[in-house]
Amino acid sequence: MKTKTPQNGEAEFTGHQVPSWARASRDCVPEDLAFLSGAALASLHLQLDNAAVPQALLRDRLALRAAEAGVAFAGRPETVAALRDALHLMRPGDLPGPAGDIYLQWKRATGRPATLRHLCRALPHHSPDQIGIWLKSGQGAPIPRAAKVIETVIAEAPRAETTALILGDAVLADGLGWDHVIPLLATGLTRRALGATGAELRDACHRAILRSAPDTLGLAADLARRAARLRAVTPKLRAKPAAAAVALFLTRDAIAPLALSTPPDGVGLSDRAARRFCDRLVDLGVVRELTGRDSFRLYGV
């Protein structure tokens, strides 16, 4: 872990970074791509084992990025703000809509360990048997194995891009010994690459890692700094459920005040107290209001 000391004297978290030499050029041969993507994954592996990084929050924010890419693949260029609204402003019994459904699949896929049972819960449109078959379709090293899974899913279910990417990233995580799905291929692959096969898709997956790993490392470092500031002010908060509420902020990309006062996530704050609590965190500079609206607001680290 690296630190730098700003003028106020406090050590600022910068975290691990992809080496400057681990960059792909257009004329890289497949062996070079494999080596460089391996270096990028090694750097990322260190960050995913760093206690300073709020890992659940990192995965949840990456799920949002993956969903944004996924709706674009599906021809629905929804904004991040629209995706957040689709899930966080749903009422009991509401459906999230096509774009919100993609987001919900990613949140479920990244929110729990990448077991077959949890992946089936994230992908309810496919049978557990089919998901199990797809997961076993790839062999070999993590990235070639993930590429084969993506190719197989797309070949058998051409419109199931989200399923292909979730399972591809799940297989990648399994091959690297990670407990959870980390959206890397989903945020690094292009729509054109999803139509490739064989060696072309494998090389596209290596390049996807080289695109997504530096962004993920940067996000992890940013969230670690923000989380440290939020934890530092927690003792100053007067509300009795403050610690429980802060814990939620450190696991969720966005929170509506109502979520702090109602099951299943409620921490014992009334609706009014929850709104005041969120605004207090904004005043302290440790949480942001994400919508710019006067009502139906969402807050996040």
Side-chain angles (χ1 to χ4, degrees), residues 87-236:
L87 257 63
H88 295 290
L89 300 183
M90 277 197 309
R91 296 179 179 179
D94 285 351
L95 296 176
D101 186 54
I102 290 174
Y103 185 18
L104 184 59
Q105 289 177 68
W106 274 109
K107 281 182 68 70
R108 288 176 173 171
T110 59
R112 293 179 178 272
T115 63
L116 177 59
R117 180 167 67 90
H118 290 146
L119 289 172
C120 290
R121 180 175 177 268
L123 300 168
H125 307 301
H126 307 284
S127 72
D129 287 344
Q130 182 63 76
I131 291 172
I133 291 171
W134 282 333
L135 286 171
K136 295 177 181 177
S137 61
Q139 301 293 329
I143 292 180
R145 180 182 165 199
K148 184 59 179 180
V149 169
I150 292 172
E151 179 181 346
T152 302
V153 175
I154 294 296
E156 297 180 7
R159 300 183 65 180
E161 294 96 343
T162 298
T163 299
L165 291 168
I166 287 176
L167 296 184
D169 273 319
V171 165
L172 179 64
D174 178 69
L176 295 170
W178 298 344
D179 293 334
H180 292 77
V181 173
I182 309 295
L184 295 175
L185 298 174
T187 56
L189 282 170
T190 64
R191 186 174 187 178
R192 179 181 178 181
L194 286 180
T197 59
E200 184 180 356
L201 178 56
R202 180 201 63 211
D203 291 349
C205 286
H206 284 300
R207 290 185 182 276
I209 296 299
L210 291 170
R211 281 190 290 269
S212 60
D215 289 343
T216 301
L217 286 166
L219 176 61
D222 179 58
L223 291 178
R225 291 190 292 267
R226 293 177 181 274
R229 291 195 289 268
L230 178 55
R231 293 188 185 105
V233 305
T234 302
K236 303 176 183 178

Side-chain angles (χ1 to χ4, degrees), residues 5-29:
T5 304
Q7 293 181 351
N8 62 11
E10 296 181 0
E12 183 178 350
F13 182 97
T14 56
H16 301 282
Q17 300 176 357
V18 174
S20 59
W21 48 263
R23 300 286 188 271
S25 62
R26 291 186 177 182
D27 57 350
C28 273
V29 298

Side-chain angles (χ1 to χ4, degrees), residues 53-60 226-227 230-235 237 239-255 259-260 265-267 269 277 281 286-287 299-301:
V53 177
Q55 302 292 342
L57 175 57
L58 173 64
R59 293 194 304 272
D60 205 45
R226 293 177 181 274
L230 178 55
R231 293 188 185 105
V233 305
T234 302
L237 302 173
K240 289 183 179 180
V246 166
L248 276 180
F249 274 103
L250 291 176
T251 62
R252 307 289 178 81
D253 163 70
I255 291 178
L260 299 177
D265 300 322
V267 296
L269 292 169
F277 180 82
L281 293 180
V286 294
V287 160
Y299 298 82
V301 174

